[in-house]
Amino acid sequence: MNVQRLLLFFTACCLSWIGYADEPFFPFKIPTEKPDMPLSEAMNRAYDDYESPTYWGNELSSKFRYTPLKGLTYNGGDGTLTRRDPSKVVKANGKYYVWYTHRSTVSPPRGADDATDEIPSADWDLAEIWYATSTDGFTWEEQGVAVPRPPKPNVGWRSVSTPDVLFWKGKYYLYYQGFMEVSGKRGDDCPVSVSYADSPDGPWTATNKIVVPNGPEGAWDQYSIHDPYPLVYKGRIYLYYKSDFNGPPHPVRAQGLAIADDPLGPFEKCPLNPVLNSGHETGLFPFRGGIAALAIRHGNEHDTIQFAPDGINFKMTSTAILMPIAPGPYVPDAFTDTDDGRGITWGLCHFPWGAKSRDKAHTILGRFDCDLSQDLDDRFM
Ligand code: AAL
């Protein structure tokens, strides 16, 4: 060993001794407990605002991995077939179930001005709710339509899209956006309707009624109730949703909460709405005694994971990269009214495809995996 190597070895030994010493000694080691010493604003925040001062000690932080699904095809990607905005994944009859927006049209979306009764304005225009099942979460078999478009003038006659599922007292409920005009005329305006069934395979009975209405004039959710996302929490139905205020060209996306004791309503909107100041599509799950949320894409707190001990007052727990768009996680305890939510490890999401080409735009479903679970300890993956 030459002198340089010896020095290097000696320095490494000193550093590791300092790093593992009991006494906190910045910057070599970050102690788990907040040390009694002057701290910068950033380090105060690291202790006071987060579950752990480090990313890998923080249960609500994760990286995301993606896998293409097997079993679903897309007309060669010509833009006439889309699958997007998957619901939560639910396990029943020994299989996984997912519901999603299914558009099968004569052409890809052409914008509101060129839309007709057959030509869609947007990727989710002229759509129906379809479903698929899987035994392993990777290979999915499309089962067909769950909720078709009802005849005019019922809610959703123009399009039904962006579903999510609730299981409550032995019955299944599908909540979805019900368009009564071409999306994109003013904005992306619609309320939410609901259908119900005794089995996840249907048949589904449409209420043909608005179950979560748009807010009054001037309210933040005046124009749209998007991405309805029900969970059972504190013995009640907590349905989270997204809306846009300000309208185009700079809509402000935020998420609100509506609570009910009956799946068919009435849903009472939380007086503190919006409860999340960021995020596009909804993605939430019971975690320990509260509710965790994926806030994806839009807003000052985009691409963060958040937590509300009461399901209402959310705070950031971590930032994340490459988060799933329109997540539909597998949430085993979504409907069990747990007060010790275990978290999530996988789900489905969507990927816009061919978006730059007006002739091919469509969206495909894919799988994400993550570590947002109490039951794993794999934060380095
Ligand atoms: C999505 C969702 C809603 C919007 C549109 C289709 O990803 O936020 O469903 O209406 O985009």
Side-chain angles (χ1 to χ4, degrees):
M1 200 179 270
N2 61 29
V3 179
Q4 269 173 338
R5 278 178 182 226
L6 206 64
L7 267 175
L8 205 64
F9 178 69
F10 178 71
T11 316
C13 287
C14 290
L15 286 178
S16 68
W17 177 80
I18 292 166
Y20 287 98
D22 283 345
E23 288 302 306
F25 189 87
F26 286 174
F28 301 108
K29 187 177 177 192
I30 295 186
T32 333
E33 297 301 319
K34 191 171 179 178
D36 184 18
M37 59 194 276
L39 295 178
S40 66
E41 181 59 34
M43 285 314 296
N44 267 313
R45 203 163 63 232
Y47 285 100
D48 297 343
D49 290 10
Y50 299 93
E51 189 192 335
S52 152
T54 61
Y55 171 78
W56 47 86
N58 184 342
E59 281 183 319
L60 286 175
S61 65
S62 183
K63 291 176 182 166
F64 295 88
R65 289 182 304 208
Y66 295 91
T67 313
L69 300 186
K70 289 188 187 144
L72 303 174
T73 53
Y74 288 90
N75 290 353
D78 67 2
T80 59
L81 180 58
T82 242
R83 294 185 190 87
R84 55 177 295 142
D85 290 299
S87 69
K88 284 187 284 291
V89 174
V90 160
K91 198 166 191 186
N93 310 324
K95 299 181 274 198
Y96 297 111
Y97 283 75
V98 70
W99 293 263
Y100 46 87
T101 304
H102 180 279
R103 173 181 63 77
S104 171
T105 47
V106 295
S107 78
R110 296 291 189 212
D113 292 344
D114 295 330
T116 67
D117 286 353
E118 297 193 328
I119 300 178
S121 64
D123 199 23
W124 51 95
D125 187 25
L126 294 175
E128 299 182 314
I129 311 295
W130 282 41
Y131 76 115
T133 57
S134 170
T135 49
D136 64 3
F138 290 93
T139 302
W140 290 83
E141 198 178 325
E142 191 153 75
Q143 302 295 340
V145 67
V147 181
R149 283 194 284 144
K152 205 170 176 177
N154 288 305
V155 194
W157 65 265
R158 174 71 200 188
S159 190
V160 287
S161 81
T162 323
D164 200 22
V165 64
L166 167 72
F167 180 69
W168 176 267
K169 298 189 179 164
K171 280 195 187 328
Y172 290 85
Y173 296 83
L174 277 179
Y175 297 86
Y176 43 86
Q177 301 181 184
F179 286 90
M180 286 167 284
E181 64 174 40
V182 169
S183 170
K185 270 174 113 182
R186 183 214 64 89
D188 189 24
D189 303 351
C190 64
V192 158
S193 189
V194 62
S195 291
Y196 55 89
D198 291 330
S199 147
D201 293 298
W204 295 89
T205 304
T207 59
N208 289 324
K209 291 202 175 109
I210 294 176
V211 66
V212 188
N214 294 353
E217 200 180 330
W220 75 284
D221 58 357
Q222 169 184 357
Y223 294 114
S224 59
I225 307 291
H226 287 166
D227 304 270
Y229 193 101
L231 292 171
V232 177
Y233 185 56
K234 296 187 179 171
R236 309 186 75 193
I237 302 157
Y238 272 51
L239 184 145
Y240 294 87
Y241 63 94
K242 174 259 272 172
S243 191
D244 300 326
F245 40 131
N246 285 2
H250 298 301
V252 177
R253 300 213 154 93
Q255 296 184 16
L257 168 65
I259 302 176
D261 295 311
D262 183 320
L264 303 185
F267 277 89
E268 204 179 304
K269 293 191 181 165
C270 175
L272 295 183
N273 274 348
V275 295
L276 279 158
N277 62 31
S278 298
H280 190 125
E281 296 93 350
T282 46
L284 302 101
F285 53 93
F287 195 74
R288 296 201 178 271
I291 300 287
L294 308 176
I296 304 157
R297 294 212 283 155
H298 298 128
N300 284 328
E301 296 175 6
H302 66 90
D303 297 300
T304 61
I305 296 163
Q306 309 221 357
F307 179 72
D310 56 359
I312 294 174
N313 290 290
F314 285 89
K315 265 172 81 169
M316 288 192 281
T317 61
S318 68
T319 60
I321 56 165
L322 293 177
M323 294 183 84
I325 302 178
Y330 173 48
V331 188
D333 47 16
F335 313 128
T336 60
D337 195 17
T338 179
D339 55 10
D340 188 25
R342 309 307 301 181
I344 58 167
T345 57
W346 70 278
L348 301 190
C349 60
H350 75 211
F351 300 88
W353 219 249
K356 291 221 167 107
S357 148
R358 186 173 142 88
D359 292 326
K360 289 196 173 143
H362 65 288
T363 304
I364 66 171
L365 297 180
R367 172 177 165 127
F368 71 89
D369 283 81
C370 63
D371 176 7
L372 290 168
S373 164
Q374 278 197 54
D375 305 321
L376 292 172
D377 191 15
D378 188 16
R379 321 260 148 209
F380 292 103
M381 76 179 188

